Amino acid sequence: MATFYVTTPIYYVNDEPHIGHAYTTLLADVLARYHRSLGDEVHFLTGTDEHGQKVQESAIKRNVQPQQHVDEYVVRFQELWKKLHIQNDDFIRTTEKRHTDRVVDLLNILWEKGEIYAAEYEGYYSVSEERFITEKEVEDGNFREIKKLKEKNYFFRMSNYQETLIEHIKTHPEFILPKTRRNEILGFLEKPLTDLCISRPKTRLSWGIELPFDKDYVTYVWLDALTNYISAIGWNTDNKRFQKWWPANYHLMGKDILTTHSVYWPTLLMAAGIQLPKTILAHGFWLSGDTKMSKSLGNVVNPLDLVDSYGVDPVRYYLMRDMVLGHDASFSLDGFVRRYNSDLANDFGNLVNRVTILIKKHFSGILPETGTFDKTDLELIAIAKSAPQKVRSLISNLKINEAIEITVGLFRELNRYLEKREPWKTVKLDKAHKISAGTTLSLAADILRIGAQLLHPVMPNRIDLILQILGAQNLDLVNFSVGLLKPGTVLGEGKSPFPRIEIPK
Ligand code: MSP
């Protein structure tokens, strides 16, 4: 059985979870569910980044100990994931011993190998970014809270790995996706890479993992955080488990944290003699109109508000359907409602109602026998047979929005088929016509079931409901063959869980 290991960034625990966090986690969840449905053994990891200056400052502001602060705040993320029906296999917190011990191991390995050295460094430091920045970056003016600092610190010999990293990126086209981001990183690597400052003096920051070779320092928060991807799966403790999952199939993230993942992380791994992840995937931002959603701009859409008004699954659907991976996407309530009404209420929901109501009315709610299929039926069957394979290949190529389109396309095809057949008219004619209307409706219900199954990873709960309405609740969710919903099946109660949304003008 193939294994599939997918990760999200671990989120800063002092932030209010917003659409950016929700999107990356949902994306991982949908990919994980699709891969489970393809028969892969899946490990899906998410978690929280709990050390560093921002957390320390928030704790001081609230007048509590940092540990108490993170313990209270982590719950917001855990609750949101529950609410969004995220099926993660593990949740790692960087304050857990299973993680901090591994960070210490990694530091020891690098120290013993001579990959880390101490040096006096004078430079500009951005407090908000928690890192030293170059003079050029100071001039660019994108950083806030800049101080000039002179202090002893520890540095990782990142510059030694520049050539090997470039070579790896060039020979592994799938290492950084999408291609535009890969080119950006290759462009960034044209300039000489500096060594990476991996420590912070405790006099400035005490909330972190102490360096094993100097108790006056804590570990730079990014080295600490990145290590979660291996600490969580047993690196350096449970080798069998680690070998099973590593290297990760996908590290998912927003484009703003691509450099740390595609430069710092692989060079650290190379230095420690650990294999590199297979793919680092950066998605775009959700914009509000044309502007990035950010807390400081105050235009953040809280996914919880939408979920409270319209339910989890429609929100999952919208976020997956309307972002082309790698590009930015514009979020609006209007866009959400339009997408919902056209795909879910009209194309999908009406179809469910139409087919089930006719079967209930004319066949006592029992799927009628099918007669012989004619050319029109066989054409529809051919489309339904090809859909799962197309969806599979699109998912493997991370084209989730296109995979969804294929499924909605199948519903549209089914609607056209019914318009052509008009079973609502023919069922009332003679006996022969009733038999042919029965064939049409049984086939329609079966193909509707296939389409529903294909959308299950995106909308698990409402699809379960639809499968139950179709009498398909006991069928194998991942068997997409035509003909599994047999004549004689008794339909369930209820109607489509996608009623039209009317927004008052
Ligand atoms: N703690 C680090 C990650 C460490 S991983 C080893 C971090 N945390 S974060 O909480 O700031 O992460 C936020 C995630 O949400 C990032 O992937 C970021 O790109 C993403 N987004 C933040 N705003 C976003 C949008 N408006 N739209 C989509 N995603 C965006 O960075």
Side-chain angles (χ1 to χ4, degrees):
M1 198 191 260
T3 55
F4 181 78
Y5 176 31
V6 60
T7 68
T8 73
I10 47 172
Y11 304 106
Y12 288 126
V13 77
N14 54 324
D15 262 354
E16 190 69 52
H18 62 67
I19 192 167
H21 308 117
Y23 176 73
T24 319
T25 312
L26 272 174
L27 179 62
D29 187 57
V30 170
L31 282 174
R33 285 175 188 265
Y34 267 117
H35 278 267
R36 280 188 208 110
S37 82
L38 299 179
D40 291 350
E41 204 179 343
V42 171
H43 191 70
F44 164 17
L45 174 71
T46 187
T48 39
D49 193 352
E50 305 194 349
H51 289 126
Q53 198 144 334
K54 288 177 198 157
V55 171
Q56 180 171 298
E57 278 164 10
S58 307
I60 291 172
K61 249 188 232 153
R62 291 182 62 221
N63 212 5
V64 295
Q65 287 304 312
Q67 188 65 53
Q68 185 189 338
H69 176 72
V70 295
D71 287 346
E72 283 169 13
Y73 274 55
V74 68
V75 180
R76 300 177 184 199
F77 283 90
Q78 290 168 332
E79 279 178 355
L80 179 58
W81 302 155
K82 240 188 255 153
K83 191 156 186 167
L84 296 180
H85 304 151
I86 302 296
Q87 250 180 10
N88 51 306
D89 297 289
D90 194 0
F91 186 100
I92 189 147
R93 303 178 55 188
T94 54
T95 49
E96 287 174 85
K97 189 165 157 36
R98 62 166 172 155
H99 172 76
T100 54
D101 281 356
R102 298 294 81 71
V103 173
V104 169
D105 290 351
L106 181 63
L107 287 164
N108 274 329
I109 290 172
L110 296 174
W111 179 247
E112 276 154 26
K113 283 186 155 188
E115 296 286 353
I116 291 173
Y117 62 91
E120 191 78 35
Y121 182 82
E122 180 167 17
Y124 294 101
Y125 188 82
S126 159
V127 179
S128 58
E129 283 292 302
E130 294 193 45
R131 69 173 176 94
F132 282 100
I133 55 175
T134 60
E135 253 174 62
K136 173 145 193 327
E137 284 175 317
V138 176
E139 283 162 22
D140 289 347
N142 293 327
F143 295 90
R144 289 175 296 117
E145 302 173 67
I146 301 168
K147 287 184 193 165
K148 198 153 197 191
L149 278 183
K150 183 175 180 188
E151 63 188 19
K152 176 187 149 190
N153 263 308
Y154 289 86
F155 293 82
F156 159 56
R157 297 186 193 280
M158 187 160 74
S159 58
N160 282 357
Y161 293 91
Q162 179 155 13
E163 289 314 312
T164 331
L165 178 61
I166 294 174
E167 188 55 27
H168 184 85
I169 298 174
K170 287 192 173 158
T171 52
H172 295 78
E174 74 299 340
F175 183 58
I176 301 172
L177 290 178
K179 213 167 154 188
T180 44
R181 301 278 166 234
R182 173 174 175 263
N183 292 339
E184 266 173 37
I185 295 294
L186 282 172
F188 172 81
L189 288 169
E190 276 167 16
K191 281 168 264 151
L193 209 52
T194 53
D195 287 344
L196 181 67
C197 178
I198 54 111
S199 66
R200 298 291 180 263
K202 278 193 188 166
T203 46
R204 230 165 15 88
L205 171 70
S206 59
W207 184 237
I209 301 173
E210 189 176 282
L211 290 188
F213 39 82
D214 192 335
K215 62 175 178 27
D216 293 332
Y217 289 80
V218 296
T219 311
Y220 172 43
V221 72
W222 270 101
L223 187 150
D224 170 353
L226 288 162
T227 307
N228 91 89
Y229 301 132
I230 56 173
S231 66
I233 51 163
W235 172 70
N236 227 26
T237 51
D238 183 347
N239 200 37
K240 202 165 150 228
R241 182 155 181 256
F242 181 63
Q243 293 302 331
K244 175 172 179 182
W245 298 113
W246 193 256
N249 295 72
Y250 293 120
H251 285 327
L252 305 179
M253 70 208 62
K255 59 185 181 182
D256 55 333
I257 54 174
L258 180 62
T259 313
T260 45
H261 281 82
S262 56
V263 180
Y264 298 3
W265 182 225
T267 51
L268 283 164
L269 289 169
M270 283 175 192
I274 303 169
Q275 261 184 291
L276 305 193
K278 288 183 194 150
T279 296
I280 295 168
L281 175 88
H283 63 71
F285 280 138
W286 279 97
L287 310 174
S288 163
D290 290 330
T291 12
K292 182 189 165 187
M293 281 186 219
S294 84
K295 225 164 65 171
S296 45
L297 289 174
N299 62 352
V300 172
V301 175
N302 187 339
L304 279 183
D305 297 344
L306 276 177
V307 168
D308 289 340
S309 313
Y310 305 105
V312 177
D313 282 344
V315 175
R316 290 175 61 111
Y317 182 84
Y318 174 63
L319 294 180
M320 290 303 120
R321 174 62 188 79
D322 272 41
M323 181 175 269
V324 178
L325 264 185
H327 296 260
D328 288 345
S330 190
F331 182 95
S332 69
L333 183 58
D334 236 30
F336 166 77
V337 172
R338 239 181 292 126
R339 177 64 73 195
Y340 173 98
N341 280 341
S342 98
D343 291 8
L344 299 180
N346 290 355
D347 290 333
F348 189 20
N350 280 347
L351 194 59
V352 171
N353 288 339
R354 223 175 189 188
V355 170
T356 52
I357 287 169
L358 282 170
I359 296 176
K360 280 181 184 157
K361 193 163 165 202
H362 299 285
F363 298 92
S364 324
I366 299 171
L367 277 201
E369 286 300 326
T370 45
T372 32
F373 293 133
D374 68 8
K375 189 165 164 274
T376 310
D377 300 320
L378 292 173
E379 275 168 9
L380 178 70
I381 290 174
I383 295 171
K385 276 189 173 161
S386 67
Q389 190 43 43
K390 283 188 189 150
V391 167
R392 235 175 240 152
S393 115
L394 287 165
I395 293 296
S396 308
N397 288 305
L398 297 161
K399 299 203 159 119
I400 297 184
N401 63 313
E402 288 180 37
I404 294 176
E405 259 176 74
I406 292 286
T407 314
V408 176
L410 180 64
F411 296 143
R412 292 200 183 117
E413 211 49 65
L414 199 46
N415 268 321
R416 273 194 286 276
Y417 167 79
L418 289 176
E419 289 299 330
K420 194 166 169 188
R421 284 283 199 239
E422 299 185 311
W424 46 89
K425 277 191 193 157
T426 58
V427 76
K428 292 184 205 147
L429 303 175
D430 51 28
K431 201 168 166 214
H433 277 97
K434 187 164 177 181
I435 293 176
S436 113
T439 303
T440 300
L441 289 170
S442 265
L443 183 61
D446 190 40
I447 288 177
L448 196 45
R449 169 210 41 107
I450 297 175
Q453 285 177 344
L454 288 172
L455 283 183
H456 193 269
V458 183
M459 300 187 288
N461 278 35
R462 292 203 187 181
I463 293 292
D464 278 345
L465 244 152
I466 286 178
L467 290 173
Q468 182 261 320
I469 294 170
L470 292 171
Q473 69 277 12
N474 295 326
L475 294 183
D476 181 359
L477 199 55
V478 297
N479 188 340
F480 302 100
S481 310
V482 176
L484 295 183
L485 194 60
K486 301 262 188 262
T489 301
V490 181
L491 296 190
E493 291 297 310
K495 53 181 191 186
S496 157
F498 298 111
R500 244 189 111 72
I501 298 176
E502 304 292 349
I503 296 273
K505 288 258 151 49

Coordinates of all heavy atoms in Angstrom, one line a residue, residues 51-54 56 107 121 124-133 149 151-156 195-211 213-224 264:
H51 N 6.6 28.7 20.3 CA 7.7 29.5 20.9 C 7.8 30.8 20.2 O 7.2 31.1 19.3 CB 9.0 28.7 20.9 CG 9.0 27.5 21.8 ND1 9.3 26.2 21.3 CD2 8.8 27.4 23.1 CE1 9.2 25.4 22.3 NE2 8.9 26.0 23.4
G52 N 8.8 31.6 20.7 CA 9.2 32.8 20.0 C 8.7 34.1 20.7 O 7.9 34.1 21.6
Q53 N 9.2 35.1 20.1 CA 9.0 36.5 20.6 C 7.5 36.9 20.7 O 7.0 37.4 21.7 CB 9.7 37.4 19.7 CG 10.0 38.8 20.3 CD 11.3 39.3 19.9 OE1 12.2 38.5 19.5 NE2 11.5 40.6 19.8
K54 N 6.8 36.6 19.6 CA 5.4 37.0 19.5 C 4.6 36.4 20.7 O 3.8 37.1 21.3 CB 4.7 36.6 18.2 CG 5.3 37.4 17.0 CD 4.7 37.0 15.7 CE 5.6 37.5 14.6 NZ 5.4 36.8 13.4
Q56 N 5.8 35.2 23.5 CA 6.3 35.8 24.8 C 5.6 37.1 25.0 O 5.2 37.4 26.1 CB 7.8 35.9 24.7 CG 8.4 36.5 26.0 CD 9.9 36.4 26.1 OE1 10.5 35.3 26.0 NE2 10.5 37.5 26.1
L107 N 20.0 19.8 16.9 CA 21.1 20.8 17.2 C 22.4 20.1 17.5 O 23.5 20.6 17.1 CB 20.6 21.8 18.3 CG 19.5 22.8 17.9 CD1 18.9 23.3 19.2 CD2 20.1 23.9 17.1
Y121 N 27.9 39.2 15.7 CA 27.3 39.7 14.4 C 26.6 41.1 14.7 O 26.0 41.3 15.7 CB 26.2 38.7 14.0 CG 25.6 39.1 12.7 CD1 26.2 38.9 11.4 CD2 24.3 39.7 12.7 CE1 25.5 39.3 10.2 CE2 23.7 40.1 11.5 CZ 24.3 39.9 10.3 OH 23.7 40.2 9.1
Y124 N 20.9 44.6 11.2 CA 19.6 45.1 11.5 C 18.7 43.9 11.8 O 18.8 42.9 11.2 CB 19.0 45.8 10.2 CG 19.8 47.1 9.9 CD1 20.8 47.1 8.9 CD2 19.5 48.3 10.7 CE1 21.5 48.3 8.7 CE2 20.2 49.4 10.4 CZ 21.2 49.4 9.4 OH 21.9 50.6 9.2
Y125 N 17.8 44.2 12.8 CA 17.0 43.1 13.2 C 15.5 43.6 13.2 O 15.2 44.7 13.7 CB 17.3 42.7 14.7 CG 16.6 41.5 15.2 CD1 17.1 40.2 14.8 CD2 15.5 41.6 15.9 CE1 16.4 39.1 15.3 CE2 14.8 40.4 16.4 CZ 15.3 39.2 16.1 OH 14.6 38.1 16.5
S126 N 14.6 42.8 12.6 CA 13.2 43.2 12.6 C 12.5 42.4 13.7 O 12.5 41.2 13.6 CB 12.6 42.9 11.2 OG 11.2 42.8 11.4
V127 N 12.0 43.1 14.7 CA 11.4 42.5 15.8 C 10.1 41.8 15.3 O 9.8 40.6 15.7 CB 11.1 43.5 16.9 CG1 10.4 42.8 18.1 CG2 12.3 44.2 17.4
S128 N 9.4 42.4 14.4 CA 8.1 41.8 14.0 C 8.4 40.5 13.2 O 7.6 39.6 13.3 CB 7.3 42.8 13.2 OG 8.1 43.2 12.0
E129 N 9.4 40.5 12.4 CA 9.7 39.3 11.7 C 10.6 38.2 12.4 O 10.8 37.1 12.0 CB 10.5 39.6 10.4 CG 9.7 40.2 9.3 CD 8.8 39.2 8.7 OE1 9.2 38.2 8.2 OE2 7.5 39.5 8.7
E130 N 11.1 38.7 13.6 CA 12.0 37.8 14.4 C 13.2 37.4 13.6 O 13.6 36.2 13.7 CB 11.2 36.6 14.9 CG 10.1 37.0 15.9 CD 9.6 35.8 16.7 OE1 10.4 35.0 17.1 OE2 8.4 35.7 16.8
R131 N 13.8 38.2 12.8 CA 15.0 37.8 12.1 C 15.9 39.0 11.7 O 15.4 40.1 11.6 CB 14.7 36.9 10.9 CG 14.1 37.6 9.7 CD 14.1 36.6 8.6 NE 13.4 37.1 7.4 CZ 14.0 37.7 6.4 NH1 15.3 37.9 6.4 NH2 13.3 38.2 5.4
F132 N 17.2 38.7 11.5 CA 18.1 39.7 11.0 C 17.7 40.0 9.6 O 17.4 39.1 8.8 CB 19.5 39.3 11.1 CG 20.1 39.4 12.5 CD1 20.2 38.3 13.3 CD2 20.5 40.6 13.0 CE1 20.7 38.4 14.6 CE2 21.0 40.7 14.3 CZ 21.1 39.6 15.1
I133 N 17.7 41.2 9.2 CA 17.4 41.6 7.8 C 18.6 42.3 7.2 O 19.4 42.8 7.9 CB 16.1 42.4 7.6 CG1 16.2 43.7 8.5 CG2 14.9 41.6 8.1 CD1 15.0 44.6 8.3
L149 N 21.4 45.7 16.0 CA 21.8 44.9 17.1 C 23.3 44.4 16.9 O 23.7 44.1 15.8 CB 21.0 43.6 17.1 CG 19.6 43.7 17.8 CD1 19.0 42.3 17.8 CD2 19.8 44.1 19.3
E151 N 25.5 41.4 18.6 CA 25.5 40.4 19.7 C 26.2 39.1 19.2 O 26.3 38.8 18.0 CB 24.1 40.1 20.2 CG 23.2 39.5 19.2 CD 21.7 39.5 19.7 OE1 21.4 40.1 20.7 OE2 21.0 38.7 19.1
K152 N 26.6 38.2 20.1 CA 27.1 36.9 19.8 C 25.9 36.0 19.5 O 24.9 36.1 20.2 CB 27.9 36.4 20.9 CG 28.4 34.9 20.7 CD 29.1 34.4 21.9 CE 28.9 32.9 21.9 NZ 29.3 32.2 23.2
N153 N 26.0 35.2 18.4 CA 25.0 34.3 18.1 C 25.6 33.1 17.5 O 26.8 33.0 17.2 CB 23.9 34.9 17.2 CG 22.7 35.5 17.9 OD1 22.1 34.8 18.7 ND2 22.4 36.7 17.7
Y154 N 24.7 32.1 17.3 CA 25.1 30.8 16.6 C 24.6 30.8 15.2 O 23.4 31.2 15.0 CB 24.7 29.6 17.5 CG 25.5 29.5 18.7 CD1 25.1 30.2 19.9 CD2 26.6 28.7 18.8 CE1 25.8 30.1 21.1 CE2 27.4 28.7 20.0 CZ 27.0 29.4 21.1 OH 27.7 29.3 22.2
F155 N 25.4 30.3 14.3 CA 25.0 30.3 12.9 C 25.2 28.9 12.3 O 26.1 28.2 12.6 CB 25.9 31.3 12.1 CG 25.7 32.7 12.5 CD1 26.3 33.3 13.7 CD2 24.8 33.5 11.8 CE1 26.0 34.6 14.1 CE2 24.6 34.8 12.2 CZ 25.2 35.4 13.3
F156 N 24.2 28.6 11.4 CA 24.2 27.4 10.7 C 24.9 27.7 9.3 O 24.5 28.7 8.7 CB 22.8 26.9 10.5 CG 22.6 25.9 9.4 CD1 23.4 24.7 9.3 CD2 21.7 26.1 8.4 CE1 23.3 23.9 8.3 CE2 21.5 25.2 7.4 CZ 22.3 24.1 7.3
D195 N 24.9 32.6 6.0 CA 24.6 31.6 7.0 C 23.4 32.0 7.8 O 23.0 33.2 7.8 CB 25.9 31.4 7.9 CG 27.0 30.7 7.1 OD1 26.6 30.1 6.1 OD2 28.1 30.8 7.5
L196 N 22.8 31.1 8.5 CA 21.5 31.3 9.1 C 21.7 31.4 10.6 O 22.3 30.5 11.3 CB 20.5 30.2 8.8 CG 19.1 30.3 9.4 CD1 18.4 31.5 8.8 CD2 18.4 29.0 9.2
C197 N 21.3 32.6 11.2 CA 21.4 32.8 12.6 C 20.3 31.9 13.3 O 19.1 32.0 13.1 CB 21.2 34.2 13.0 SG 21.2 34.5 14.7
I198 N 20.8 30.9 14.1 CA 19.8 29.9 14.7 C 19.6 30.1 16.2 O 19.1 29.2 16.8 CB 20.2 28.5 14.3 CG1 21.6 28.2 14.7 CG2 20.0 28.2 12.8 CD1 21.7 27.2 15.8
S199 N 20.1 31.2 16.7 CA 20.0 31.3 18.2 C 19.4 32.7 18.5 O 19.5 33.6 17.7 CB 21.3 31.2 18.9 OG 22.2 32.2 18.5
R200 N 18.9 32.8 19.7 CA 18.5 34.1 20.3 C 19.0 34.2 21.7 O 18.8 33.2 22.5 CB 17.0 34.3 20.3 CG 16.4 34.3 18.9 CD 16.8 35.6 18.1 NE 16.1 35.6 16.7 CZ 16.7 35.1 15.6 NH1 18.0 34.6 15.7 NH2 16.1 35.2 14.5
P201 N 19.7 35.2 22.1 CA 20.2 35.3 23.5 C 19.0 35.4 24.5 O 18.0 36.1 24.2 CB 21.0 36.6 23.6 CG 20.7 37.3 22.3 CD 20.1 36.4 21.3
K202 N 19.1 34.6 25.6 CA 18.0 34.6 26.5 C 17.7 36.0 27.1 O 16.6 36.3 27.6 CB 18.3 33.6 27.7 CG 18.0 32.2 27.3 CD 18.0 31.4 28.6 CE 17.9 29.9 28.2 NZ 18.3 29.0 29.3
T203 N 18.7 36.9 27.1 CA 18.5 38.2 27.6 C 17.4 38.9 26.8 O 16.7 39.8 27.3 CB 19.8 39.0 27.5 OG1 20.3 38.9 26.2 CG2 20.8 38.6 28.6
R204 N 17.2 38.5 25.6 CA 16.2 39.1 24.7 C 15.0 38.3 24.6 O 13.9 38.8 24.5 CB 16.8 39.3 23.3 CG 16.7 40.6 22.8 CD 17.5 41.0 21.6 NE 18.2 40.1 20.7 CZ 17.7 39.6 19.6 NH1 16.4 39.7 19.4 NH2 18.4 38.8 18.9
L205 N 15.2 37.0 24.6 CA 14.0 36.1 24.4 C 14.3 34.8 25.3 O 15.2 34.1 25.0 CB 13.9 35.7 23.0 CG 12.9 34.6 22.6 CD1 11.5 35.1 22.8 CD2 13.1 34.2 21.2
S206 N 13.4 34.5 26.2 CA 13.6 33.3 27.0 C 12.7 32.2 26.6 O 12.9 31.1 26.9 CB 13.4 33.7 28.5 OG 12.1 34.2 28.7
W207 N 11.6 32.5 25.9 CA 10.6 31.5 25.6 C 11.0 30.7 24.3 O 10.6 31.1 23.2 CB 9.2 32.2 25.4 CG 8.1 31.2 25.2 CD1 7.2 31.2 24.1 CD2 7.7 30.1 26.0 NE1 6.3 30.2 24.2 CE2 6.6 29.5 25.4 CE3 8.1 29.6 27.2 CZ2 5.9 28.4 25.9 CZ3 7.5 28.5 27.8 CH2 6.4 27.9 27.1
G208 N 11.8 29.7 24.5 CA 12.2 28.9 23.4 C 13.0 27.7 23.9 O 13.0 27.5 25.1
I209 N 13.5 26.9 23.0 CA 14.2 25.7 23.4 C 15.7 26.0 23.6 O 16.3 26.5 22.7 CB 14.0 24.6 22.3 CG1 12.6 24.3 22.1 CG2 14.8 23.3 22.7 CD1 12.3 23.3 20.9
E210 N 16.2 25.7 24.8 CA 17.5 26.1 25.1 C 18.5 25.4 24.2 O 18.3 24.2 23.9 CB 17.8 25.7 26.6 CG 19.1 26.2 27.1 CD 19.2 25.8 28.6 OE1 18.6 26.5 29.4 OE2 19.9 24.8 28.9
L211 N 19.6 26.0 23.8 CA 20.6 25.4 22.9 C 21.4 24.4 23.8 O 21.8 24.7 24.9 CB 21.6 26.4 22.4 CG 21.2 27.4 21.3 CD1 22.4 28.1 20.8 CD2 20.5 26.7 20.2
F213 N 24.3 23.4 23.6 CA 25.7 23.7 23.8 C 25.9 25.1 24.4 O 27.0 25.6 24.5 CB 26.5 23.5 22.5 CG 25.7 23.9 21.3 CD1 25.7 25.3 20.9 CD2 25.0 23.0 20.5 CE1 24.9 25.7 19.8 CE2 24.3 23.4 19.4 CZ 24.2 24.7 19.0
D214 N 24.8 25.8 24.7 CA 25.0 27.1 25.4 C 23.7 27.5 26.1 O 22.7 27.9 25.4 CB 25.4 28.2 24.4 CG 25.9 29.5 25.1 OD1 25.5 29.7 26.2 OD2 26.7 30.2 24.4
K215 N 23.7 27.4 27.4 CA 22.5 27.6 28.1 C 22.0 29.1 28.2 O 20.9 29.4 28.7 CB 22.5 27.0 29.5 CG 23.6 27.6 30.4 CD 23.5 27.0 31.8 CE 24.5 27.5 32.8 NZ 25.1 28.9 32.5
D216 N 22.8 30.0 27.6 CA 22.4 31.4 27.6 C 21.6 31.7 26.4 O 21.2 32.9 26.1 CB 23.6 32.3 27.6 CG 24.3 32.2 29.0 OD1 23.6 31.9 29.9 OD2 25.6 32.4 29.0
Y217 N 21.3 30.7 25.5 CA 20.6 31.0 24.3 C 19.4 30.0 24.1 O 19.5 28.9 24.5 CB 21.6 30.8 23.1 CG 22.6 31.9 23.0 CD1 23.7 31.9 23.8 CD2 22.4 32.9 22.1 CE1 24.7 32.9 23.7 CE2 23.4 34.0 22.0 CZ 24.5 33.9 22.8 OH 25.4 34.9 22.8
V218 N 18.4 30.5 23.3 CA 17.4 29.6 22.9 C 17.4 29.5 21.4 O 18.1 30.3 20.7 CB 16.0 30.1 23.3 CG1 15.8 30.1 24.8 CG2 15.6 31.4 22.7
T219 N 16.7 28.5 20.9 CA 16.7 28.2 19.4 C 15.8 29.1 18.7 O 14.7 29.5 19.1 CB 16.2 26.8 19.2 OG1 16.9 25.9 20.1 CG2 16.4 26.3 17.8
Y220 N 16.3 29.6 17.5 CA 15.5 30.4 16.6 C 14.2 29.7 16.3 O 14.2 28.5 16.0 CB 16.4 30.6 15.3 CG 15.7 31.3 14.2 CD1 14.8 32.4 14.4 CD2 15.9 30.8 12.9 CE1 14.2 33.0 13.3 CE2 15.3 31.5 11.8 CZ 14.5 32.6 12.0 OH 13.9 33.2 10.9
V221 N 13.1 30.4 16.3 CA 11.8 29.8 16.2 C 11.6 29.0 14.9 O 10.9 28.0 14.9 CB 10.7 30.8 16.5 CG1 10.6 31.8 15.4 CG2 9.4 30.2 16.9
W222 N 12.2 29.4 13.8 CA 11.9 28.7 12.6 C 12.7 27.3 12.5 O 12.1 26.4 12.0 CB 12.4 29.5 11.3 CG 11.2 30.3 10.9 CD1 11.0 31.7 11.1 CD2 10.1 29.9 10.1 NE1 9.8 32.1 10.5 CE2 9.2 31.0 9.9 CE3 9.7 28.6 9.6 CZ2 8.0 30.9 9.1 CZ3 8.5 28.5 8.9 CH2 7.7 29.6 8.7
L223 N 13.9 27.3 13.1 CA 14.5 26.0 13.2 C 13.7 25.0 14.1 O 13.4 23.9 13.7 CB 15.9 26.1 13.8 CG 16.8 24.8 13.7 CD1 18.3 25.1 13.6 CD2 16.6 23.9 14.9
D224 N 13.2 25.5 15.2 CA 12.4 24.8 16.1 C 11.1 24.3 15.3 O 10.8 23.1 15.3 CB 12.0 25.8 17.2 CG 11.0 25.4 18.2 OD1 10.3 24.3 18.0 OD2 10.8 26.1 19.2
Y264 N 15.7 27.2 4.0 CA 16.2 26.8 5.4 C 16.1 25.3 5.6 O 17.0 24.7 6.0 CB 15.5 27.6 6.5 CG 15.5 29.1 6.5 CD1 16.2 29.8 5.5 CD2 14.9 29.8 7.5 CE1 16.2 31.2 5.6 CE2 14.9 31.2 7.6 CZ 15.6 31.9 6.6 OH 15.6 33.2 6.6

